[in-house]
Amino acid sequence: MLIGIPRETRAGETRVAATPETIKKIAASGKHEIVVESGAGAAASIPDADFASAGARIGGTGDALGADIVLKVRGASPEELARMKQGALLIGLLDPYDAAGLEAHARAGVTGFALEWLPRITRAQSMDVLSSQSNIAGYKAVILAAAEYGRFLPMLMTAAGTVKAARALVMGVGVAGLQAIATAKRLGAVIEASDVRPSVKDQVESLGAKWVDVPYETDEEREIAEGVGGYARPMPPSWMQRQAGIIAERCKQMDIVITTALIPGRPAPRLISAQTVASMKPGAVLVDLAIEQGGNVEGAELGRVVVRNGVKIIGIANLAATVPTDASALYARNVLNFLSLSLNPKTGDFAVPRDDEIIQATLVCENGAVVARKR
Ligand code: NAD
């Protein structure tokens, strides 16, 4: 079988779906040929020669896209789909919430696996691309905020006097939020954090941050807040209003605010109003990690750093791609672990286990049709 790794073509996408480490493992049985498009790893600082030493052939775009199994970071563009084989397996972040994009993949006749829909079960943790990439985004959000902030983060006692520690608020404490707390803590900030899911409180406190409580007033609110499968659900307007009031007050004290709140398949919840931003201290920095889903912060702009009343709002998309070498290393291992369900790296035997719940959950199109939505 031929396994292809094309160069990613989406603007700003620096990651690559395989690394020399994972190529070596896929190639170990000697039964399969691997072709990497020339330059596929360039933006992640992986030269063609390293892929070649790991056992891959370096080829052109058509070679990599024309393989039996294509490993990608992002879904294929119409031009890429036109170069793919009928029945080829495509594994990547295919954006299954985009119905038109999914339809295009189906029409091209590829068998698509969308890694966004990996179930959150223990066995799938090593394949969980959302977690591995959110972890990087949470880290980089703090680094960006620190770079844009005109003061120190840690408390310092110097001969020229004392510098106060920065105060940071993290909103949405999933994988990205937890890493943002841990990173801001290492840099010496004093941190508060809030989430709709009450189960997160202990994790926040164990990282040394203070939990910002938004009390529930009804059983319905409490029940919705528990979420499903580890993911949040949209909260009733009454709770959102209470949250906005509490957060508006906390924001007045904050130097850095990182927002990461997402609800799968829906626009990001609006957590911080323009009025709240206007009430913040000049020099404060907000980083909106939910910007691609519409943003948590009113006034945030996709791909830009905007300044409102002296407060900076960072809306840079795809932060994981700004740490391309490690993001690719982790993504490629996730993909290898997913591929290993079907392709035994030691023996080279290949068979897609159709009844495996991980395969069933991620299969989004085959034989020219979109597979029924599961979420
Ligand atoms: P996510 O990216 O979907 O959302 C980020 C956070 O935003 C979540 O914590 C969510 O509760 C929060 N949020 C949503 N609406 C909000 C609102 N109005 N106000 C405040 N916060 C709001 O989440 P994620 O990072 O993918 O992680 C979700 C959970 O799944 C985490 O607890 C994580 O530890 C868990 N997880 C489990 C596994 C597993 O295999 N068991 C794997 C990965 C993650």
Side-chain angles (χ1 to χ4, degrees), residues 77-88:
S77 65
E79 296 73 31
E80 288 169 331
L81 285 171
R83 301 180 82 165
M84 291 187 65
K85 275 204 325 206
Q86 293 277 320

Side-chain angles (χ1 to χ4, degrees), residues 314-363:
I314 303 176
I316 311 290
N318 196 6
L319 282 190
T322 68
V323 189
T325 310
D326 276 335
S328 299
L330 300 182
Y331 183 89
R333 284 186 206 140
N334 293 146
V335 167
L336 169 70
N337 291 327
F338 179 80
L339 181 65
S340 300
L341 294 173
S342 307
L343 191 152
N344 184 320
K346 292 207 178 87
T347 61
D349 293 346
F350 178 78
V352 179
R354 307 289 311 210
D355 50 3
D356 186 315
E357 68 176 302
I358 298 177
I359 292 291
Q360 287 179 355
T362 50
L363 178 68

Side-chain angles (χ1 to χ4, degrees), residues 178-306:
L178 284 173
Q179 184 56 259
I181 296 174
T183 305
K185 188 85 192 162
R186 282 183 206 118
L187 288 175
V190 175
I191 305 154
E192 297 180 23
S194 163
D195 197 290
V196 50
R197 293 177 302 124
S199 55
V200 177
K201 179 175 185 262
D202 288 349
Q203 294 173 32
V204 164
E205 289 174 347
S206 72
L207 285 171
K210 188 172 163 222
W211 176 249
V212 178
D213 196 35
V214 181
Y216 307 112
E217 283 184 353
T218 63
D219 288 345
E220 187 209 3
E221 285 181 359
R222 187 181 297 279
E223 201 242 324
I224 295 174
E226 297 294 337
V228 210
Y231 289 109
R233 289 194 285 165
M235 288 298 283
S238 55
W239 187 90
M240 292 297 287
Q241 256 168 30
R242 236 175 299 130
Q243 181 194 41
I246 292 170
I247 293 307
E249 281 310 305
R250 297 315 309 140
C251 280
K252 287 181 192 161
Q253 312 292 323
M254 292 300 146
D255 301 300
I256 289 172
V257 176
I258 314 268
T259 68
T260 81
L262 289 175
I263 296 165
R266 291 177 182 262
R270 180 53 51 84
L271 303 184
I272 297 186
S273 65
Q275 207 183 347
T276 298
V277 173
S279 73
M280 289 177 69
K281 294 189 277 189
V285 180
L286 295 106
V287 184
D288 190 342
L289 278 187
I291 190 71
E292 283 167 274
Q293 282 74 31
N296 296 139
V297 181
E298 190 174 358
E301 290 183 23
L302 184 63
R304 296 192 55 206
V305 179
V306 292

Side-chain angles (χ1 to χ4, degrees), residues 138-164:
Y139 158 82
K140 192 61 187 271
V142 175
I143 302 299
L144 281 184
E148 289 288 343
Y149 183 52
R151 299 164 185 253
F152 279 109
L153 263 67
M155 194 269 276
L156 291 177
M157 296 214 277
T158 79
T162 302
V163 173
K164 277 208 308 200

